[in-house]
Amino acid sequence: MAPSRFFREACFIGGEWLPAGADFIKVDNPATGRTVGRVPKLGRNEAHTAIDAASGAFPAWRAATADERGAYCHAFHDALMDNQAALAELLTIEMGKPLAEAKAEIAYGAAFFKWFAEEARRVYGDIIPAPSANKRIIVTKEPVGVVGAITPWNFPNAMIARKAAAALASGCAIVCKPASQTPFSALAFGVIAEEIGLPKGVLNIITGSAEAIADAFCQHPALRKITFTGSTETGKLLAAKAMAGMKRVSMELGGNAPFIVFDDADLDAAIEGAIASKFRNAGQTCVCANRIYVQSGVYESFAEKMSDRMRALKVGDGLDAGVDQGPLIDEAALRKVEAHIEDATQNGAQLVTGGRRHDKGGTFFEPTLLRDVTSAMAIASEETFGPVAPLFRFDTEQEAIAMANDTEYGLAAYFYTENLARAWRVMEALEYGMVAVNEGIISTPAAPFGGVKQSGFGREGSKYGLDDYLNIKYGLIGGLGK
Ligand code: NAP
């Protein structure tokens, strides 16, 4: 590609660019294996410098009015949308997802800036009836301070946008550490910050050693909150460390989403929902359908229609027109997919379609449909994070709910039914942070995104999304007379 002005092989600290030196991280395009570029491999000291820069910018930023901060967030939104095509191309080149999905991700990320620009005006307090007549109890909300954000590779723009927009709108300064496999979409936020004239130090982007940067986040006294999106395994390590520094934490972690199709479902709608939920980002999203439960009465027809639909999916470089599924992020991802398929087939599952590395080579994999999958197989309990749709069979509603809840995760769940009473019953019975009925795509800035159980805690987006970035302050005014 002709490098756009958003492509920077440098970190953004205190409004200055720090180029990659002798110590760097190489970033490859998963579709071609070609090197996209290199970014600095920073450590603890540079992370401290970034936190200091954010800390220096924080007092003036928190003192700005909600309208002033909102205007910067609106400018962020507009800059993202005005440059949607260039930013999407950069995203596809470093991450692999089809260009149409990358464009949708830029729009999704931008929408959080717009949403929180408006929410910033509604950070209301309270006056609480006091126990005596000469006192007043006042509750106000204040920004937590400097926030450290750590994000994964599967949504290189949107996972930063969800956090940065909420932090900026609420009056916090932020230091972001993107995934090492996809840093360029994150660094593009630095370019935009510069272009819209965001005060220096309010937003900082650093790349480098995850552990060293996380240690700095956990130990630096000026850093008050850590917001993490990534695997449950890493989230647990980070949360334990963050507790040693008594930092506030939000954890958006892994999922193992059930997708239930009842006999009374609109089957065509369920197929389209399953395709959208399962194959977006080649199955590499935390809310991807990981286990598809189909009731006995429609099992055969669902399997047949699903396999027809999957055979039509076009696999290829995300930059090529009409591609539905790009490569997987790396060889390790490919091996996990293969291991899940092998375990399932050795234990009695049938391969309906796909099942092998794609002829295109590299990390491309065939869209794969498995049937007769059971709870004893690894795919039932682990996040596959790849293009494998496993079909489980069930007979009763109670059985489906029990199977769906039989996991340590609790992020997103989906089910299809045309029965209103069942819709309410099942929605309430599913132990998940988010439940979609008759829909395969669940995320929107207007709704609270987040999980329960081992999928973490905290909510991003919606009217609740600023809460994680605000402290509650109680003020007592006494001596007001009798
Ligand atoms: P990951 O391995 O946990 O990495 C996520 C981030 O953590 C990266 O920036 C990584 O940096 C960093 N990291 C690695 N080791 C660390 C450590 N010891 N301390 C602190 N940070 C560390 O996850 P991933 O494979 O990139 O992402 C996929 C996972 O994210 C899946 O489980 C998916 O479900 C989850 N996810 C959840 C949500 C949600 O909203 N709930 C959204 C998207 C994805 P390096 O890249 O430098 O190693």
Side-chain angles (χ1 to χ4, degrees):
M1 70 160 182
S4 77
R5 69 180 198 281
F6 295 105
F7 178 71
R8 294 291 174 101
E9 293 179 294
C11 289
F12 188 65
I13 301 177
E16 309 295 331
W17 290 98
L18 177 68
D23 222 3
F24 60 84
I25 297 168
K26 188 165 78 66
V27 180
D28 295 333
N29 178 338
T32 61
R34 282 198 286 275
T35 298
V36 180
R38 51 183 62 177
V39 294
K41 186 170 185 190
L42 305 184
R44 191 174 174 276
N45 290 344
E46 296 89 348
H48 275 265
T49 306
I51 297 167
D52 290 340
S55 185
F58 173 61
W61 186 247
R62 74 171 284 182
T65 65
D67 272 2
E68 287 164 346
R69 292 196 303 267
Y72 282 108
C73 289
H74 277 300
F76 247 112
H77 166 271
D78 294 349
L80 287 164
M81 292 311 292
D82 289 348
N83 298 288
Q84 188 182 14
L87 292 165
E89 190 174 284
L90 184 60
L91 198 160
T92 291
I93 285 168
E94 67 174 338
M95 194 267 139
K97 69 176 63 177
L99 201 52
E101 285 190 31
K103 281 187 184 153
E105 179 180 340
I106 303 296
Y108 175 68
F112 281 90
F113 281 98
K114 195 173 190 179
W115 176 266
F116 283 123
E118 292 158 6
E119 280 302 301
R121 297 172 163 178
R122 289 184 275 275
V123 178
Y124 301 124
D126 275 315
I127 295 178
I128 295 176
S132 41
N134 68 345
K135 292 177 183 163
R136 299 290 182 274
I137 292 173
I138 299 163
V139 175
T140 54
K141 291 183 183 172
E142 299 182 340
V144 295
V146 177
V147 173
I150 299 180
T151 53
W153 50 264
N154 64 342
F155 287 92
N157 173 288
M159 295 302 102
I160 302 251
R162 286 208 305 212
K163 299 178 186 311
L168 266 46
S170 59
C172 299
I174 189 165
V175 180
C176 304
K177 193 225 86 73
S180 297
Q181 284 164 309
T182 58
F184 292 115
S185 296
L187 292 165
F189 281 96
V191 178
I192 293 175
E194 214 172 23
E195 290 183 0
I196 66 170
L198 188 75
K200 291 182 175 188
V202 169
L203 173 78
N204 307 272
I205 317 280
I206 56 173
T207 54
S209 157
E211 232 172 298
I213 293 170
D215 283 348
F217 283 1
C218 294
Q219 289 161 12
H220 195 303
L223 192 134
R224 300 293 162 77
K225 175 192 167 68
I226 296 173
T227 170
F228 175 79
T229 299
S231 62
T232 296
E233 193 186 357
T234 306
K236 283 182 179 178
L237 289 173
L238 183 60
K241 269 195 214 167
M243 280 307 104
M246 202 45 75
K247 309 297 183 189
R248 276 187 71 172
V249 284
S250 308
M251 291 280 151
E252 296 283 357
L253 308 178
N256 178 9
F259 187 106
I260 308 168
V261 183
F262 288 101
D263 282 347
D264 57 21
D266 173 338
L267 213 55
D268 291 333
I271 295 284
E272 286 317 305
I275 293 286
S277 172
K278 178 69 252 182
F279 292 99
R280 192 160 65 108
N281 210 5
Q284 302 171 112
T285 90
C286 54
V287 292
C288 271
N290 201 53
R291 299 167 286 151
I292 302 178
Y293 295 107
V294 187
Q295 203 160 7
S296 300
V298 291
Y299 191 90
E300 296 304 329
S301 47
F302 185 92
E304 198 183 318
K305 283 183 181 211
M306 188 75 180
S307 119
D308 289 348
R309 188 66 178 75
M310 282 172 55
R311 285 197 179 101
L313 292 174
K314 186 174 166 194
V315 177
D317 185 331
L319 291 182
D320 293 343
V323 162
D324 300 299
Q325 185 188 299
L328 297 188
I329 189 69
D330 57 21
E331 180 68 25
L334 212 58
R335 282 200 298 270
K336 184 164 193 192
V337 163
E338 286 177 325
H340 276 188
I341 294 170
E342 195 183 336
D343 170 79
T345 48
Q346 278 183 356
N347 287 290
Q350 304 296 315
L351 201 53
V352 183
T353 180
R356 293 179 307 119
R357 292 181 183 222
H358 198 278
D359 292 343
K360 287 187 175 300
T363 57
F364 291 99
F365 201 86
E366 294 175 343
T368 298
L369 183 64
L370 290 168
R371 57 170 293 162
D372 305 325
V373 179
T374 68
S375 301
M377 300 169 189
I379 208 163
S381 52
E382 294 171 21
E383 194 179 25
T384 305
F385 237 57
V388 185
L391 303 188
F392 300 71
R393 185 190 292 267
F394 71 91
D395 291 313
T396 67
E397 183 181 305
Q398 289 72 17
E399 198 189 342
I401 292 167
M403 288 166 97
N405 286 340
D406 184 20
T407 170
E408 60 187 12
Y409 296 103
L411 192 58
Y414 309 82
F415 66 94
Y416 278 69
T417 179
E418 295 286 282
N419 178 320
L420 182 62
R422 168 173 276 164
W424 275 103
R425 257 191 332 264
V426 177
M427 191 165 65
E428 289 174 359
L430 289 171
E431 294 168 6
Y432 288 82
M434 303 178 280
V435 181
V437 187
N438 298 332
E439 291 288 340
I441 298 287
I442 200 164
S443 311
T444 160
F449 191 103
V452 296
K453 295 163 75 179
Q454 308 258 336
S455 294
F457 43 81
R459 292 294 179 269
E460 294 191 318
S462 84
K463 68 172 182 168
Y464 308 104
L466 290 186
D467 291 350
D468 281 1
Y469 295 83
L470 296 166
N471 285 331
I472 286 176
K473 181 180 270 182
Y474 153 43
L476 174 67
I477 302 180
L480 296 179
K482 290 189 187 152

